[in-house]
Amino acid sequence: MGTLKTEPARTRLDLLAPPVAAALQDWPAEAPVDVDDVLVAPIDADLADTAAFCEAYGVGLEESANCVVVAGKRGGETRYAACVVLATTRADVNGVVRKLLDVRKASFAPMAEAVESSGMEYGGITPIGLPADWPILVDSRVIATPHVIIGSGVRHSKIALPGPALGALPGARVVEDLARPA
């Protein structure tokens, strides 16, 4: 995990967006990953974007996962999903994701909508603590990664946790080939 100075996320709620902190407080005891294995580290907010973060903190792109919010419409209803993919890949938005959302066209949700709907900062959106009605689509490569770094809901910190934990989040669905190599 590079040069990150991590500690249990539950002990540093000040480093998390409110919905993320709430989700960790309600972490199910029967979850396959103990809540104390969810770690957080402060970072420079100006280095929150993946490439800059990985370079500055010595984290490999193959250990870093991005959470992108996708939206599509069907019958006048906007459907959202969060896609979690490794930084070495790109979500197949208009192929796999579009089909899973059952919409004609899918695209990245506009920044203002993603921020308002998630309660998180742009560039820090994470699958932990998202609205319960959003599916969380996790590329199978992410859960095959022993430990991954993801956003914390804010730009001034990152979460480190076992990759398999992301496939066990409420509303999560592990998807083969959700992403393609970048």
Side-chain angles (χ1 to χ4, degrees), residues 5-6 30-31 42 44 59 69 83 91 94 112 122 149 162 171 182:
K5 306 260 188 279
T6 60
E30 69 279 0
D44 181 334
V59 173
V69 178
C83 300
N94 266 307
Y122 186 74
I149 309 295

Side-chain angles (χ1 to χ4, degrees), residues 81-141:
C83 300
V84 184
V85 300
L86 292 177
T88 56
T89 64
R90 300 257 185 257
D92 183 2
V93 174
N94 266 307
V96 176
V97 177
R98 179 186 59 77
K99 289 176 187 164
L100 292 171
L101 279 177
D102 190 27
V103 294
R104 274 183 185 244
K105 181 181 175 208
S107 58
F108 296 110
M111 178 178 61
E113 281 179 30
V115 167
E116 183 179 334
S117 299
S118 69
M120 300 179 199
E121 293 177 6
Y122 186 74
I125 294 176
T126 185
I128 300 171
L130 287 174
D133 60 339
W134 288 14
I136 299 170
L137 308 174
V138 183
D139 186 74
S140 59
R141 287 171 275 230

Side-chain angles (χ1 to χ4, degrees), residues 26-47:
D26 294 336
W27 196 264
E30 69 279 0
V33 173
D34 189 85
V35 69
D36 289 329
D37 290 333
V38 179
L39 307 174
V40 69
I43 65 164
D44 181 334
D46 292 334
L47 299 172

Side-chain angles (χ1 to χ4, degrees), residues 9 13 15-21 24 39-41 43 120-121 123-128 149-160:
L13 300 180
L15 292 175
L16 306 170
V20 179
L24 290 177
L39 307 174
V40 69
I43 65 164
M120 300 179 199
E121 293 177 6
I125 294 176
T126 185
I128 300 171
I149 309 295
I150 60 172
S152 63
V154 294
R155 291 183 60 87
H156 63 272
S157 65
K158 293 286 186 179
I159 288 176

